[in-house]
Amino acid sequence: MATGRAHWGSRLGFVMAAAGSAVGLGNLWKFPYITWENNGGAFVVVYLAAVFVLGLPIMIAEILVGRRAQLSAVPAFETLAGGGRRGRAWSTVGWVGVLAGGVILSYYMVIAGWSLWSFHKCLVWSFTGYDAASLGFDGFLKDGVLQVILTAAFSLMTAGIVMRGIGGGIERATRIMMPVLVAIMLYLVATALTMDGRDEALAKLFVPHFSELPPQGVLLAVGQAFFSLSLGLGAMIAYGSYISKQESIVRSALWVVVLDTGFALLAAVAMFTIIFSVPGLQDRVSGSTVGMLFITLPDLFYTRMPGGAVLAPLFFVLVAFAALSSTISLGEVVTSLMIDRRGWSRRKAAAICSSVVFAGSVLAALSVGAVAPLSQVEVFAGKPGLLSTLDHLAANYLLPLGGLGTTVFVGWFLGRPALLEELGLKRGTISFHLLLWILRVVAPLAILALLTAVLAGWDFS
Ligand code: PHE
C-alpha cells in the first residue's frame, strides 16, 4: 500500500470536493431537462428512490474501497482483492470506470463550454439590455469553430487544475466555488417562486402521476442517479483514497448525496417555474430541451430579478465552475490511474490524458450541429448525434456496470469485516444489516434488472 499519500487538508475537504464532483451539469443541465422530458412528478419520485436506495449505499461502498486501499480505482480493486489472478479480474471494474470517465469527460467539456458562451451573452446583455430574441441558441450549436474553441478552453482549465493536485488545486478551488453557487441558486429559486407559473411548476414537479411516466423513465432515473452522484466510475474511489481514517465515511456520503439532490431539485424548480411563467418559452424549450439551462434562466435574471444584470454573468461563471469541479474529478480518475499504475508524474499524466480525451471532445463538439454525419449517428433510438450517444453509453451502460461491480465487491468480497472496520458500524445494528443487505442483494438485483432491460432493447431515450 502506498504510504505518505496526500490527504484532504481539512475535514470539510472531502465533502466539498466530492460535492463539487457530484454537483455539476448533471444537476443544472441534465436533471431539469430529463425530468421535463419524462413529465415531472413520478420521475422525480423514482429518481429520489434511486438516489437513496442505490446511490447512497454505493457511494459509501466506493469511498470505502478508496480509503481502505489508499489507491485509485484500478489498483484499489487489484490490491484489495489480494493481487494475482483474482486481483486482475476485479480490476476490470476499475477499468470500466476509467473508460466511462474518459467518455463522460469528452462530451461533458462540450456542454461545459456552453456555460462560457452564456456568460459572454449575459455580459453583453447586461450592458446593452436583454433581448430574448437574440439568444440564437440553434445557430450557436451549428457553429463548429466556436464549439471547438469553447471545449478547448475548458479542457485546458481542467488539465491545469488536475496538474496542481489534491489540496493545492482541487480542494482550494471547490471550497471557494461551492458556497457562492449555493447562495446564488437559493436567490434564484426564491425569485422564481414569485412568478405566476409557480403553482403549475411545483405541481408538475412534485405531484406524481405514475401513468405519465414512460417505462424507460425508471431506467433513466437510475442512470441519472449514478451520473449525478458521480458513481460507477471510481471518482469517489479516487477521492476517498485521500480521506483520513478519522473521518466518517457514512456521514460524508450522506452530505454529498443530500447536497447533490438538493441542487438538482432547486435547479428544476427554478427552470420549471420560468417555463410556466414566460409566455412562449415552453415552445422554445421543447425545441431544444438539452439547452434548457441556457435558454430559460436569462429570462428570470433580466426580467424579474433585482440585481439580475449583475448576477446573470456571475451565475454562468459559477455554472462553469460547477462543471469544472466535476471535470476535475473525471480528470482525476484517469490521471490518478496513470500516476499509481505507471509511476508517471502528475504533470505528465494529466497532460497526456487530457490530450487523448480532447480528441474525443472535438468530435462531440462538432456533433451538436456543425458536422452532419456526426449529428446523425443514431446508435440509441431517438438519441441522434455523437454527444447524446456517448451520454447514453456512459450513463446507462458503463456507470451501472461499474456500480454493480463495486457493490458486489464490497458486499460479498470484502464483506462484513470491511464494513465494520471502515464504517464504524456495530455488528447487529439495523444500519449495519440494512447496508449489507442493500449492497449484497438489493443493489445488484436492481442494477442487473436495469442492464437486462437495456440489453433486451428497451428504449432509453
Ligand atoms: N456528477 C457530475 C454532474 O452531475 C458528473 C460526473 C459524473 C462527474 C461522473 C464525475 C463523475 O455533473
Side-chain angles (χ1 to χ4, degrees), residues 20-28 101 104 108 224 226-231 233 235 260 322-323 325-327 329-330 333 399:
S21 163
V23 174
L25 296 170
N27 312 59
L28 300 168
I104 295 179
Y108 201 92
Q224 171 64 10
F226 274 95
F227 182 86
S228 191
L229 296 171
S230 304
L231 294 177
L233 47 50
D260 184 72
S325 55
S326 300
T327 52
S329 71
L330 287 159
V333 169
L399 298 187

